[in-house]
């Protein structure tokens, strides 16, 4: 979509594959460098009016888009499942949460943007916040609706205009969000939508001098490339990148709660979750019991095509992701890890990109599953003897996105929550995502935050205005 009109991109036609079969079910024409030029120019033209309009007008568009998204939830969820693979009930949840995110940031449109400061003798002083400008929003393939809306909603509410680039595998469901915004009254140019390869459309957006801010969710390798490219024009950048998430089980934990929650957080969306569990760090005194219970539960998960009733776990999104998972499992096996469950393609699902829920134990230090992001249905069990060792093991990766701790001892909970070098800690729960709280990573898991008021302000620039009071009123915001 450029200037409010859907058109064929100038790039190649791309097949959109159904990960449950591996077969194409739709074709999308990618954007090219000319489309990027048009889209950025259109967004730049639309910026003044959108940034300058009444905040209530921007809120009205976001509320309207939320309503439309909810009204079309099944249609959008179906498209999401077809292109990404997750079970349709999970897709519905993703769409519904995205509507909530749109409303949350609609509510923020009117947030006060001026803060008085001490001006000194005979001078007044204020800090005001203005929309940063045209933004490039680059989305991943694991939550193509939600993680797009985490960027879109605060950017539009703050007064920015945007060019959206979805992931190659998942161009359809994000387009539905953009259609909802258009139908809700987003003026032409405010939201542009350009599917296409990262190296073509993504890089051209990141390098473009009229783009002032880039928001990306993707792998750490992608984030590093984008940060380097963005340096040329010193863009404001936020990066939501990979994770290597530990779940620590202390000996006193309620295993009846910890194990099922750990299983869900390991295999939900087939492990293609940046905050999915990669490592189970378990007190040696309960290690065997936790491993046995975990394997029992994981063995009973029902895999299948995401549109089939009763299916709770789908395929991986692509053959590329499956090959990466396979390489991690083979690496661990070659180093002597024991495969307690899975470790290959399920026999009853030979088509598509399925991979069995996999549990590895006795994984030697140095194995890729302990240090890199597998981004698949694989977990590695590691025992520990002391809380110090648990926290040290948890922190022993270049990543720092999330960690979970299960214990009933307030001292242990506090010790771990303080010591973990991550952007989000869950204590006796398996999620750190919350609409009203910042989400993001330490270390190589990223820069900046999404969600919460923090995301809204990240789409603004500060301006300090000093003035000599006069007989006329003056409001610099
Ligand atoms: P990816 O890195 O392959 O691609 C992400 C996006 O970046 C895509 O739209 C891609 O086309 C684009 N891109 C790639 N190279 C680019 C370049 N040089 N310039 C501009 N754009 C470029 O990631 P993916 O496979 O779609 O998503 C999975 C990854 O995302 C995982 O590593 C996961 O951990 C991460 N992720 C992080 C979070 C978080 O909040 N921290 C959330 C979800 C996913």
């Amino acid at each position: 979509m450029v200037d409010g009109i859907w058109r064929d991109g100038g790039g190649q036609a791309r097949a959109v594959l159904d990960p449950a079969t591996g077969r194409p079910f739709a074709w999308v024409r990618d954007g090219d460098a000319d489309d990027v030029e048009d889209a950025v120019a259109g967004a730049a033209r639309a910026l003044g009016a959108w940034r300058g309009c009444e905040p209530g007008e921007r809120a009205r568009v976001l509320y309207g888009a939320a309503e439309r998204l909810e009204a079309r939830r099944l249609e959008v969820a179906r498209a999401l499942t077809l292109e990404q693979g997750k079970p349709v009930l999970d897709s519905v949840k993703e769409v519904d949460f995205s509507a909530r995110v749109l409303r949350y940031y609609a509510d923020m449109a009117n947030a006060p943007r001026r803060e008085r400061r001490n001006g000194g003798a005979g001078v007044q002083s204020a800090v005001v916040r203005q929309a940063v400008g045209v933004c490039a929003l680059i989305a991943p393939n694991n939550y193509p609706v939600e993680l797009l809306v985490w960027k879109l909603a605060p950017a539009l509410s703050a007064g920015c205009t945007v060019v959206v680039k979805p992931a190659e595998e998942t161009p359809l469901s994000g387009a539905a969000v953009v259609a909802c915004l258009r139908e809700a009254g987003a003026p032409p140019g405010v939201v542009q939508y350009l599917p296409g390869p990262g190296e073509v459309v993504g890089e051209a957006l990141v390098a473009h001098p009229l783009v002032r801010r880039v928001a990306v969710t993707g792998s750490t390798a992608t984030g590093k490339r984008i940060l380097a490219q963005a340096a040329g024009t010193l863009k404001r950048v936020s990066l939501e990148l990979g994770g290597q998430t530990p779940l620590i089980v202390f000996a006193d934990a309620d295993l009846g709660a910890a194990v099922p929650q750990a299983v869900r957080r390991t295999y939900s969306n087939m492990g293609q979750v940046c905050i999915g569990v990669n490592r189970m760090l378990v007190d040696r005194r309960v290690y065997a019991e936790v491993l046995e219970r975990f394997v029992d539960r994981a063995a009973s998960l029902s895999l299948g095509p995401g549109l089939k009733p009763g299916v709770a776990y789908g395929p991986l999104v692509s053959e590329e992701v499956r090959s990466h998972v396979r390489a991690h499992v083979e690496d661990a096996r070659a180093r002597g890890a024991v495969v307690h469950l899975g470790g290959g393609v399920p026999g009853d699902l030979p088509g598509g990109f399925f991979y069995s829920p996999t549990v590895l134990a006795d994984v030697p230090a140095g194995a890729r599953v302990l240090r890199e992001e597998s981004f698949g249905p694989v977990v590695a069990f590691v025992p520990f003897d002391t809380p110090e060792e648990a926290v040290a093991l948890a922190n022993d990766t270049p990543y720092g996105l999330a960690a979970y701790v299960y214990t009933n001892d307030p001292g242990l909970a506090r010790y771990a929550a303080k010591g973990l070098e991550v952007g989000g800690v869950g204590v006796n729960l398996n999620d750190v995502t919350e609409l009203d709280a910042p989400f993001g990573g330490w270390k190589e898991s990223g820069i900046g935050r999404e969600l919460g008021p923090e995301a809204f302000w990240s789409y603004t620039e500060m301006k300090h205005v000093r003035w000599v009071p006069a007989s006329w009123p003056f409001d610099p915001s």
Side-chain angles (χ1 to χ4, degrees), residues 138-143 147 150 165-169 196-199 202-203 206 216-220 222 225-226 229 240-243 273-274 321 373 375 401 439-440 445 450:
I138 299 179
N141 60 32
N142 62 337
Y143 288 87
L147 295 178
W150 286 17
K165 195 203 89 60
E168 288 85 332
E169 300 82 358
E199 310 76 50
E203 289 197 11
V206 173
V216 188
T217 299
S219 66
T220 291
T222 296
R225 268 202 306 279
I226 288 177
Q229 287 155 4
E240 294 286 345
L241 307 177
V273 183
C274 53
V321 171
E373 182 180 46
F375 217 58
L401 193 56
F439 181 100
S445 286
E450 295 197 319

Side-chain angles (χ1 to χ4, degrees), residues 14-217:
R14 172 185 299 279
V16 186
L17 305 185
D18 173 355
T21 62
R23 289 197 290 271
F25 70 96
W27 292 84
V28 169
R29 199 169 275 283
D30 280 344
D32 66 3
D34 290 341
D35 293 315
V36 170
E37 272 309 317
D38 291 352
V40 174
R45 278 194 301 276
L47 179 65
W50 184 249
R51 178 156 65 181
C53 76
E54 280 297 314
E57 175 55 20
R58 296 197 292 271
R60 190 187 63 75
V61 170
L62 291 175
Y63 287 131
E67 223 166 82
R68 281 166 176 79
L69 197 55
E70 281 173 342
R72 294 168 60 182
R73 64 148 71 81
L74 293 182
E75 180 198 329
V76 181
R78 196 182 140 78
L80 172 48
T81 291
L82 272 170
E83 65 182 358
Q84 201 276 340
K86 70 184 64 170
V88 73
L89 280 180
D90 288 346
S91 295
V92 169
K93 272 191 222 156
E94 180 170 340
V95 173
D96 285 350
F97 187 65
S98 301
R100 284 184 58 206
V101 175
L102 284 164
R103 291 201 177 91
Y104 176 85
Y105 287 107
D107 288 342
M108 277 205 78
N110 257 313
R113 294 192 178 218
R114 186 183 66 157
E115 202 180 294
R116 294 295 288 266
R117 297 292 169 96
N118 289 326
V123 173
Q124 293 201 350
S125 186
V127 176
V128 295
R129 295 212 176 231
Q130 293 176 324
V132 63
V134 175
C135 301
L137 309 181
I138 299 179
N141 60 32
N142 62 337
Y143 288 87
V145 172
E146 186 173 328
L147 295 178
L148 171 54
V149 172
W150 286 17
K151 300 166 182 51
L152 256 179
L156 294 179
S157 179
C160 299
T161 56
V162 304
V163 183
V164 171
K165 195 203 89 60
E168 288 85 332
E169 300 82 358
T170 52
L172 302 177
S173 48
V177 176
V178 169
C180 290
L181 281 159
R182 250 319 257 151
E183 287 163 23
V190 167
V191 188
Q192 320 275 49
Y193 194 75
L194 280 190
E199 310 76 50
V200 179
V201 172
E203 289 197 11
L205 284 169
V206 173
H208 201 292
L210 290 181
V211 172
R212 294 287 166 78
R213 178 170 175 355
V214 177
V216 188
T217 299

